[in-house]
Amino acid sequence: MSGLGKGVTTSSIAKLLQLSDQKVSCIKIDPYLNYDAGTMNPVAHGEVFVTDDGGECDMDIGNYERFLNQDIPKSHNITTAQVYSSVINAERKGEYLGACVQIIPHITDEIKNRIRKIAKDEELDFLIVECGGTVGDIESLPFLEALRQMKVEEGPQGVIFVHVTLAPSLDVVGEQKTKPTQHSAQELRRIGIQPDFLAVRCSLPLQEKTKQKIAMFTNVTASDVLSCHDAKSIFEVPQMLYDQGIMDSIFTKFNKVGMLNASANWDKWNEISQKMVNHEDQKIKIAMVGKYVTLADSYVSVNHALKHAGAEIGKSVDIGLIDSESIEDYSILSNYDGILVPGGFGTRGSEGIINTANYARENNIPYLGICFGFQLAAIAFGRNVLKLEDSNSTEIKPDTQNPIVDLLPEQKDVSDMGGSLRLGANDVQIKDGTNAQKIYNSNVISKRHRHRYEINKQYIPEFEKNGLIFSANSDDGKRMEMLEIPSHKFYLGVQFHPEFNSRPGFPEKAFSAFIKATSEK
Ligand code: GLN
């Protein structure tokens, strides 16, 4: 079921293979009918993760990038819609030469082709395919069927299956229940897939007798029934699986016995994962103000990026999620060491963000505004410093007299909402002598974008006369990418999304600078 930890299990196994000097990558299959995650509500589905090549992907792609410290292209997030679109387009072109086009074999072939193409094009040693959904769901059936066929075609030493299941503890003595695992393994077998490993989610380590019992009823060797109990941090999961012998078993199953076994590069990873552990006595408090705060996963990459930056200076970051729609008393923000406004869309909650950006400026509280948080910081400055009271974004108020933020010119004729924002990595030019230049120690950086609106250049001279500098731009100065207020302790806005480039052990520089500023007295 969702939320069980399939993404972390996938990433952890991939990490162990990478630590064993194997060339590895991951794929996420989402069996829904959206073409990509771009049109989905982050409160229901979690963050939309943007890749370098402009994909609007499931947030698991972010997990893979963070664990592997490796960019993942958008082709690695396969959805039902993409598969069906290709098949239907090919049918319209007449490519099936009169055949009756069916789920089996045409849809299943398309799924297998996509998987094999990635493995081949990227010359991978191992490719891990994570299939979303629950075993038995109607919508994931064609994918499971394609995966079943792959094992037949590649042979038993070409494909192995890892099934992630749950062993809940219901009573006070904490007896671990095996029935959900037994039944889902049975359901999987009914589809024709016998798992090679079971990754069993549980709160406390799986007891030996529980492993034996699960093994007996699922046909999985007891040593391949893996305990995936709660960890202090998700980055400890690779070690947890390794300690249970998963690597020897994987290499045996793939007939690659004698393979170097995660030894060479293990220390560096453990050093990074140790740093990510909670520092109870060293906490930085960050207020995250936005409208998607009811689900912590809505801004998952921002949460991670803050933690990576904290770990760099031996501190933990406590994130207070504040709903920009209901905030009334802005003085609660003074209880925090820093204020962060992440990306967002639409009118709801925008006034709360504008006031938050203004409160941070007036009270000299470190502020980092990302995308919407950048745009609305400029609007706050327009209203309160430039005294342009009607300052707004045309996204929020189309008829505003002072459209400080306006639609990108190339968006004027766009009517489809899906996949049509300014997406993916673009170069950003940073001006000499700015704080931005100090932060990035460079004049050009490549950052990921996801927006439809931008700063209206007409207002720039007024801003700069009054102490707010646009310190970076892109496309030969066509659009503004960063703003800063040099007289402020730390006030930075970025049109791009720095959170997608942050990795454990390698925090993104804007986050590092922000977190450092929050701990300076
Ligand atoms: N809604 C804004 C825009 O479309 C900001 C987008 C974002 O924060 N990702 O430009």
Side-chain angles (χ1 to χ4, degrees):
M1 61 190 197
S2 66
L4 199 56
K6 283 195 290 283
V8 173
T9 310
T10 305
S11 307
S12 299
I13 295 173
K15 187 74 206 174
L16 287 167
L17 288 162
Q18 187 195 50
L19 290 169
S20 309
D21 285 337
Q22 300 299 304
K23 191 156 185 235
V24 60
S25 195
C26 304
I27 286 180
K28 174 71 192 290
I29 289 175
D30 282 307
Y32 45 64
L33 276 172
N34 300 63
Y35 196 84
D36 58 33
T39 51
M40 279 193 281
N41 185 342
V43 175
H45 196 78
E47 151 192 289
V48 177
F49 186 85
V50 180
T51 57
D52 249 10
D53 62 351
E56 294 180 286
C57 296
D58 181 83
M59 61 177 196
D60 274 322
I61 301 291
N63 269 329
Y64 309 155
E65 288 206 348
R66 284 187 285 271
F67 269 83
L68 297 176
N69 189 20
Q70 174 178 308
D71 290 347
I72 306 275
K74 63 180 172 190
S75 57
H76 290 227
N77 190 184
I78 301 175
T79 65
T80 297
Q82 292 166 18
V83 172
Y84 274 74
S85 300
S86 309
V87 171
I88 293 167
N89 285 341
E91 186 276 329
R92 289 290 80 187
K93 283 190 195 139
E95 287 176 15
Y96 295 109
L97 303 174
C100 171
V101 182
Q102 294 181 297
I103 294 179
I104 298 168
H106 301 98
I107 293 293
T108 44
D109 281 353
E110 174 65 23
I111 295 167
K112 290 186 290 181
N113 290 345
R114 282 178 179 242
I115 295 171
R116 287 198 171 101
K117 184 171 184 326
I118 289 171
K120 189 159 174 278
D121 289 356
E122 298 176 24
E123 297 177 350
L124 300 172
D125 298 314
F126 287 92
L127 175 57
I128 311 199
V129 182
E130 176 185 350
C131 188
T134 303
V135 179
D137 282 353
I138 290 174
E139 45 184 25
S140 62
L141 280 175
F143 291 100
L144 294 178
E145 169 60 14
L147 297 172
R148 183 196 69 75
Q149 291 181 11
M150 279 191 90
K151 181 146 188 165
V152 178
E153 289 164 355
E154 302 290 329
Q157 292 174 339
V159 174
I160 64 172
F161 288 106
V162 182
H163 185 34
V164 183
T165 69
L166 176 69
S169 303
L170 296 183
D171 50 31
V172 268
V173 267
E175 189 201 347
Q176 291 168 322
K177 296 292 187 186
T178 64
K179 280 283 172 189
T181 297
Q182 289 185 40
H183 279 277
S184 79
Q186 194 176 32
E187 187 66 16
L188 198 55
R189 281 202 308 274
R190 204 176 60 80
I191 296 167
I193 294 176
Q194 165 62 45
D196 296 280
F197 287 97
L198 292 174
V200 186
R201 277 292 287 126
C202 42
S203 41
L204 294 170
L206 212 55
Q207 292 152 9
E208 198 44 45
K209 67 171 199 304
T210 320
K211 280 193 179 183
Q212 297 290 348
K213 189 169 173 190
I214 291 173
M216 171 58 75
F217 294 109
T218 59
N219 293 343
V220 175
T221 314
S223 55
D224 293 335
V225 177
L226 304 164
S227 170
C228 296
H229 42 275
D230 292 350
K232 278 198 241 112
S233 127
I234 54 171
F235 301 110
E236 291 181 348
V237 178
Q239 177 83 61
M240 182 186 291
L241 295 174
Y242 181 79
D243 290 345
Q244 296 176 68
I246 188 175
M247 291 314 290
D248 287 335
S249 190
I250 285 180
F251 285 143
T252 306
K253 290 185 202 303
F254 281 108
N255 198 20
K256 287 184 188 279
V257 187
M259 211 67 138
L260 176 78
N261 203 329
S263 51
N265 315 305
W266 199 226
D267 291 350
K268 184 140 183 27
W269 171 254
N270 274 343
E271 194 188 308
I272 290 171
S273 88
Q274 281 312 309
K275 271 198 184 164
M276 299 297 300
V277 163
N278 219 356
H279 302 271
E280 268 310 321
D281 48 334
Q282 296 274 351
K283 293 220 167 177
I284 297 172
K285 287 171 72 185
I286 300 295
M288 183 131 92
V289 186
K291 80 172 189 194
Y292 310 121
V293 287
T294 46
L295 183 78
D297 272 351
S298 307
Y299 306 113
V300 63
S301 292
V302 178
N303 300 347
H304 279 290
L306 286 168
K307 295 189 177 193
H308 302 158
E312 190 185 28
I313 54 168
K315 300 196 176 187
S316 291
V317 178
D318 253 5
I319 302 165
L321 292 169
I322 297 174
D323 185 354
S324 62
E325 206 183 357
S326 57
I327 181 170
E328 276 169 11
D329 175 11
Y330 290 90
S331 69
I332 56 158
L333 296 171
S334 62
N335 299 329
Y336 293 88
D337 304 309
I339 298 172
L340 187 147
V341 174
F345 293 83
T347 308
R348 187 166 60 79
S350 60
E351 285 302 312
I353 295 176
I354 295 170
N355 294 335
T356 296
N358 195 50
Y359 187 90
R361 185 184 59 78
E362 285 182 343
N363 294 281
N364 209 25
I365 303 173
Y367 176 85
L368 177 60
I370 297 174
C371 205
F372 209 36
F374 158 83
Q375 297 171 355
L376 298 193
I379 291 165
F381 197 88
R383 286 189 193 176
N384 298 286
V385 181
L386 309 184
K387 302 292 176 205
L388 304 169
E389 271 157 34
D390 191 35
S391 291
N392 220 323
S393 165
T394 49
E395 175 181 7
I396 297 164
K397 193 172 180 227
D399 60 348
T400 178
Q401 296 303 300
N402 284 293
I404 285 187
V405 176
D406 201 3
L407 200 60
L408 293 162
E410 61 271 34
Q411 291 276 335
K412 298 243 147 79
D413 297 322
V414 169
S415 55
D416 285 356
M417 283 295 145
S420 61
L421 290 98
R422 179 176 180 241
L423 287 168
N426 287 93
D427 277 355
V428 171
Q429 318 287 335
I430 303 178
K431 287 191 189 150
D432 282 332
T434 58
N435 194 24
Q437 192 200 35
K438 269 194 230 124
I439 291 170
Y440 283 106
N441 193 22
S442 172
N443 283 98
V444 49
I445 52 176
S446 171
K447 293 286 160 187
R448 299 181 190 177
H449 293 76
R450 182 172 187 247
H451 65 121
R452 211 181 287 283
Y453 293 81
E454 65 177 352
I455 298 291
N456 183 342
K457 281 177 73 181
Q458 194 190 313
Y459 292 90
I460 295 175
E462 267 312 287
F463 273 108
E464 302 211 331
K465 244 191 275 163
N466 287 279
L468 184 149
I469 308 293
F470 286 96
S471 43
N473 57 57
S474 57
D475 296 335
D476 298 322
K478 228 166 87 191
R479 47 188 131 253
M480 297 304 110
E481 291 279 357
M482 295 176 84
L483 67 75
E484 58 190 69
I485 300 179
S487 61
H488 192 278
K489 187 173 178 188
F490 184 94
Y491 201 91
L492 186 71
V494 291
Q495 179 61 77
F496 51 84
H497 286 271
E499 68 273 26
F500 299 135
N501 292 108
S502 190
R503 313 267 167 89
F506 307 94
E508 203 281 339
K509 287 177 177 161
F511 280 90
S512 289
F514 171 59
I515 287 296
K516 276 189 194 128
T518 62
S519 47
E520 275 159 17
K521 287 289 157 242

